Amino acid sequence: MCYFTLKFCNVSSVSAPTRDVSRSESSTLLRFRRQFLLTPRAVELPGWQHERVGDHNVYAHPELGLTVHRSDADVTLVLLGFAIDPDHPEHDDAAVLELLAADRRRGSEQATIDRLSGRFVLFVFDGPDLHVQTDAVGARAVEYTWTGDEFHAASQSFLLAEAVSLADSGRRAVFAGSRHAQLDREAFLPADVTLFDQVHRLIPNHRLDVTERRQVRVWPVEPVAQTTLEEAAGFAAGQLSASLEAASFRFPLSLPLTAGYDSRALLAATPRSRRSRVFVYTLLYRHLGRLSADPHIASRVARRAGVQHHLVDCRGLPGAEWRRLYTGNSPLAHYDDWGIIAQGMLHGLPGGHVTLKGNASEIVRNFYWHDGAAPPTRDAADILALHSGWSELPFVVDAVEHWFEATAPIARASGVAIDDLFYWEHRCGSWQAQSQLEWDIAQEAFMPFGNRRMLARLLGVPARERADHGQALLREIMRVTDAEVLELPFNPSGGGYRAVDVFLKARHRARRELRRLRAT
């Protein structure tokens, strides 16, 4: 059946014309936006929040949440970002830290961390010891290094360089010229690798023990309990709804709605009483236009859900000042793709909102399966083969081999497929975290699926029942939360949609080639 029509319902359009950022925006807001730095050294970051904890200075961009809990036992908890507790939706960050501190005294804090969603970094100062953890999927990245006995951590290496000198060994140039970087416009590194030899990165599901200078795995540490698709989906539906309700009380929310499954599942899980306050939109980027499947189906879904739908145009070409700011905020910046999209989001999305993202759901959706068959993941070489060009980068090969050797026995003992763990800790924990880091210049983001307790329950569903890339799982979540959203098609590609897509892709390639020729 062809679902294609030319009618858009309940839609407003927000375009982002080609323009450059103003000087006031660049100097007071956009440089290292929503990032943090922890260092023993004093650093000049005008306008940033500053806390002194033990021997360290904590600096946080003015738009990044910074919450500190000090106890009488010489223990200080520092939360950067925000944490959502679905068991206590009424808790703000201060209440979450108070509960964590109480659980720490009882030796049970990890179970509390495991049930949190949000996007955060947690520093635990305990006398001379320091431990660091992130949210379940590492959506707020931590890069770190030592100079002698001094420990330094930040959102990314350029901000670390405000406190310490970083030697460029040539890794950046090697990566930029690699086949992987040329083939993949969203090229990424394994989660524990950076573009500087002496800078490391915290892997999701690990805690950094600063005193011991090592990362310690916190999950999985025991077999994952097997369950049914219906039970797991019901549990996930409750967790998502509680997290979304909690978030809606704390921030104004935005939802980028597409024709796919995960964003619609988030819309369905949003309590009806809160939906009218959510800014629902679809991005027009790369080749996508108003008649593409994503905006067209999204507009119909939004109308069915009783909310207004907006289009945000992210196809305008930025100016030189935007390039300078964007590429200066991360060594791995994907300026020619994500940077163009980010400018459109900055000027097209309402300020002060937190954007909901359906990412992390892929962890339980057999991402690397094809035609219902599991990938033949027998060794590190099979992991490297999942991403073209990785095997040609020695520092990537070393990292993947080390991770595989340490993780393979844990995957076997826990019953979690190693390719699912790889997606969780490296693709989601690096590719998606890098995307959110870069897009901090335009938006704050929240992935409600990034909840370790919920993901563990969903991974307990037999893999063969998730072999459809999780479609049955997400459909069941939607059936439990709001079955009406299932009445419209998902990701249609036939009929008029296919013709529109072919035309828009050809036009996009032609325009891109014309820009390249003009640049040369």
Side-chain angles (χ1 to χ4, degrees):
M1 180 181 295
C2 176
Y3 294 94
F4 185 82
T5 70
L6 296 182
K7 184 178 180 182
F8 277 76
C9 304
N10 207 23
V11 176
S12 70
S13 180
V14 183
S15 63
T18 302
R19 52 160 282 185
D20 218 338
V21 295
S22 69
R23 183 61 60 181
S24 62
E25 285 176 326
S26 66
S27 61
T28 63
L29 180 65
L30 302 182
R31 184 171 184 260
F32 301 145
R33 194 176 188 186
R34 299 186 175 97
Q35 297 187 28
F36 73 89
L37 171 66
L38 180 140
T39 176
R41 302 178 181 180
V43 175
E44 288 296 323
L45 291 167
W48 282 41
Q49 303 167 80
H50 175 228
E51 288 280 344
R52 181 76 179 176
V53 183
D55 295 331
H56 283 85
N57 296 291
V58 181
Y59 299 96
H61 185 276
E63 292 178 280
L64 177 64
L66 169 59
T67 309
V68 179
H69 179 91
R70 303 178 191 270
S71 73
D72 297 331
D74 200 24
V75 174
T76 299
L77 307 182
V78 177
L79 186 80
L80 291 157
F82 61 93
I84 300 290
D85 185 350
D87 286 6
H88 298 281
E90 73 282 3
H91 281 184
D92 60 10
D93 293 324
V96 168
L97 286 190
E98 186 174 353
L99 181 61
L100 273 176
D103 287 342
R104 180 176 173 78
R105 290 191 292 270
R106 293 188 287 266
S108 60
E109 74 273 16
Q110 190 59 51
T112 303
I113 294 173
D114 286 350
R115 75 165 184 255
L116 298 177
S117 57
R119 185 174 175 230
F120 62 84
V121 178
L122 176 67
F123 290 95
V124 179
F125 295 83
D126 187 352
D129 297 327
L130 172 59
H131 297 94
V132 191
Q133 278 200 66
T134 67
D135 57 82
V137 293
R140 198 171 295 283
V142 181
E143 297 188 5
Y144 60 93
T145 191
W146 281 270
T147 53
D149 291 331
E150 291 184 336
F151 173 72
H152 315 266
S155 300
Q156 46 79 32
S157 297
F158 283 168
L159 187 47
L160 272 179
E162 295 288 306
V164 299
S165 297
L166 300 180
D168 189 343
S169 65
R171 185 182 287 187
R172 291 175 63 193
V174 169
F175 181 77
S178 69
R179 192 165 67 94
H180 175 62
Q182 300 304 315
L183 291 174
D184 190 347
R185 63 187 167 200
E186 297 184 344
F188 70 104
L189 293 163
D192 52 341
V193 176
T194 74
L195 293 177
F196 294 88
D197 290 347
Q198 69 272 43
V199 178
H200 311 279
R201 203 160 178 268
L202 182 53
I203 306 173
N205 291 324
H206 290 70
R207 177 181 64 247
L208 174 62
D209 184 329
V210 174
T211 305
E212 297 292 331
R213 298 196 180 194
R214 66 190 183 105
Q215 296 191 32
V216 180
R217 180 175 287 279
V218 297
W219 191 91
V221 293
E222 59 186 21
V224 169
Q226 296 299 293
T227 186
T228 66
L229 183 148
E230 291 76 17
E231 188 280 332
F235 179 78
Q239 294 288 285
L240 290 170
S241 293
S243 293
L244 288 163
E245 182 173 24
S248 71
F249 282 118
R250 292 174 61 177
F251 330 106
L253 298 176
S254 296
L255 173 65
L257 189 61
T258 69
Y261 285 83
D262 51 13
S263 63
R264 199 180 306 185
L266 293 184
L267 179 63
T270 302
R272 287 182 177 270
S273 62
R274 313 299 295 176
R275 281 185 194 170
S276 62
R277 306 181 187 187
V278 179
F279 181 86
V280 177
Y281 67 95
T282 301
L283 297 178
L284 302 182
Y285 65 100
R286 296 176 185 157
H287 72 280
L288 294 180
R290 290 176 58 89
L291 300 182
S292 298
D294 267 354
H296 183 245
I297 294 298
S299 72
R300 296 176 62 194
V301 173
R303 181 177 64 163
R304 183 68 59 90
V307 296
Q308 187 176 12
H309 178 242
H310 307 264
L311 298 179
V312 178
D313 195 337
C314 297
R315 298 169 297 183
L317 296 180
E321 178 68 4
W322 179 257
R323 176 186 285 272
R324 184 189 67 81
L325 281 164
Y326 194 85
T327 57
N329 278 358
S330 168
L332 199 58
H334 300 71
Y335 172 76
D336 291 326
D337 187 52
W338 290 351
I340 294 171
I341 299 169
Q343 183 208 225
M345 293 192 301
L346 176 65
H347 300 307
L349 294 178
H353 281 220
V354 171
T355 294
L356 302 172
K357 301 196 73 175
N359 297 100
S361 67
E362 306 98 330
I363 292 168
V364 299
R365 296 173 64 187
N366 299 120
F367 184 84
Y368 292 110
W369 287 45
H370 294 286
D371 300 322
T377 311
R378 299 163 301 233
D379 52 30
D382 290 331
I383 292 288
L384 288 163
L386 294 174
H387 295 282
S388 298
W390 265 19
S391 61
E392 301 164 14
L393 293 165
F395 51 91
V396 170
V397 172
D398 289 346
V400 171
E401 288 179 345
H402 181 269
W403 178 85
F404 188 90
E405 181 180 356
T407 307
I410 291 168
R412 288 192 296 268
S414 66
V416 179
I418 197 165
D419 53 291
D420 287 338
L421 274 175
F422 173 77
Y423 189 94
W424 184 333
E425 297 182 356
H426 292 281
R427 186 173 173 92
C428 192
S430 179
W431 158 77
Q432 182 56 215
Q434 177 65 28
S435 169
Q436 294 197 23
L437 170 70
E438 292 185 30
W439 284 359
D440 273 336
I441 199 171
Q443 66 177 19
E444 177 62 277
F446 170 39
M447 293 189 291
F449 280 100
N451 170 312
R452 189 176 291 115
R453 183 176 66 177
M454 179 175 64
L455 290 171
R457 187 76 64 93
L458 293 171
L459 284 170
V461 176
R464 65 182 178 276
E465 297 184 39
R466 298 182 276 116
D468 61 351
H469 291 286
Q471 294 178 14
L473 194 59
L474 290 179
R475 282 180 177 273
E476 181 63 14
I477 290 173
M478 287 181 258
R479 187 193 68 78
V480 173
T481 52
D482 184 359
E484 282 190 19
V485 302
L486 292 170
E487 297 173 5
L488 293 169
F490 292 89
N491 295 323
S493 59
Y497 291 118
R498 183 183 299 277
V500 167
D501 195 54
V502 169
F503 168 73
L504 291 178
K505 282 184 176 179
R507 186 178 68 174
H508 176 67
R509 286 193 294 268
R511 288 176 172 175
R512 187 174 56 194
E513 180 63 16
L514 181 60
R515 290 198 301 269
R516 187 188 67 81
L517 292 173
R518 286 175 175 172
T520 57

